[in-house]
Amino acid sequence: MNKERRKSLREIQSKLESLGQDLEALKDEEEEYRDNMPENLQESERYQRADEVCDLLQEALENLDNAYQQIEEAVEC
């Protein structure tokens, strides 16, 4: 891999890192929303949807991290 492509991949990693931070902030907000629901709503559909969103956002974060790591491996080849 040449220097130019490595540089492009590093830029993509930087964007992934920034997106990950934004996504993490949104996940934290959704978790706070879910965790601060009154006890009488914790068995409700609204709570279940919020919980599912938290799980999906966590999975998205893990996927971003995997993409970052795979790019890192490609750069090191």
Side-chain angles (χ1 to χ4, degrees), residues 1 3-22 61 63-77:
M1 180 177 299
K3 184 178 177 180
E4 189 174 311
R5 284 192 291 273
R6 275 192 173 89
K7 181 181 177 194
S8 294
L9 287 173
R10 292 286 185 209
E11 289 171 2
I12 290 170
Q13 281 183 303
S14 179
K15 290 175 186 177
L16 286 173
E17 192 171 5
S18 178
L19 289 170
Q21 291 169 353
D22 293 345
L61 281 167
N63 289 334
L64 279 177
D65 186 53
N66 287 338
Y68 184 95
Q69 295 302 323
Q70 289 175 334
I71 291 170
E72 185 67 31
E73 289 177 27
V75 168
E76 292 176 358
C77 283

Side-chain angles (χ1 to χ4, degrees), residues 19-74:
L19 289 170
Q21 291 169 353
D22 293 345
L23 189 56
E24 180 84 37
L26 289 170
K27 182 185 75 74
D28 290 347
E29 287 178 28
E30 188 66 19
E31 286 176 341
E32 184 175 343
Y33 165 75
R34 178 199 62 197
D35 294 345
N36 288 319
M37 276 192 193
E39 193 172 316
N40 65 328
L41 291 178
Q42 291 185 1
E43 298 296 324
S44 70
E45 185 178 332
R46 184 189 310 175
Y47 181 89
Q48 291 173 358
R49 282 194 315 256
D51 193 48
E52 183 177 352
V53 167
C54 291
D55 290 343
L56 291 169
L57 293 177
Q58 180 61 42
E59 186 176 339
L61 281 167
E62 291 167 7
N63 289 334
L64 279 177
D65 186 53
N66 287 338
Y68 184 95
Q69 295 302 323
Q70 289 175 334
I71 291 170
E72 185 67 31
E73 289 177 27

